[in-house]
């Protein structure tokens, strides 16, 4: 599970935007001031379902993480 959903910086984060795009959630966001997090670790799991292969992208570690539960619900 991506830790981004409980982070204060989720709405401005470059790494979260990248992961969101990898999940094909291309919402046309107009973000002006991006936040660049420090020391991130992204985990990519390769899953097979029936005859399809898909990738699951998750941020596992981030030194810039600041906990703010439910912050992702604001937008």
């Amino acid at each position: 599970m991506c830790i981004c959903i409980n982070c204060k910086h989720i709405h401005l984060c470059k790494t979260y935007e990248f992961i969101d795009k990898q999940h094909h959630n291309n919402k046309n966001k107009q973000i002006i001031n991006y936040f660049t997090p420090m020391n991130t670790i992204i985990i990519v799991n390769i899953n097979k379902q029936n005859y399809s292969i898909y990738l699951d992208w998750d941020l596992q570690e981030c030194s810039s993480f600041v906990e703010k539960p439910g912050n992702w619900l604001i937008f």
Side-chain angles (χ1 to χ4, degrees):
M1 177 197 243
C2 187
I3 65 171
C4 298
I5 64 167
N6 286 324
C7 183
K8 171 185 173 182
H9 306 292
I10 189 171
H11 302 296
L12 301 175
C13 183
K14 279 187 174 185
T15 302
Y16 179 74
E17 181 188 27
F18 171 78
I19 291 171
D20 202 33
K21 283 182 182 177
Q22 300 311 309
H23 284 155
H24 306 293
N25 294 331
N26 294 327
K27 302 167 192 152
N28 293 325
K29 299 178 193 173
Q30 297 287 333
I31 299 175
I32 298 168
N33 297 316
Y34 280 106
F35 173 75
T36 305
M38 302 291 291
N39 304 320
T40 58
I41 296 176
I42 296 175
I43 301 296
V44 180
N45 294 301
I46 302 171
N47 297 303
K48 181 179 176 189
Q49 188 174 31
N50 298 327
Y51 296 101
S52 298
I53 294 175
Y54 65 96
L55 304 177
D56 183 28
W57 298 72
D58 289 318
L59 184 70
Q60 186 176 40
E61 191 171 317
C62 177
S63 294
S64 300
F65 178 80
V66 177
E67 189 169 11
K68 188 173 179 185
N71 192 38
W72 64 278
L73 293 170
I74 294 171
F75 272 95

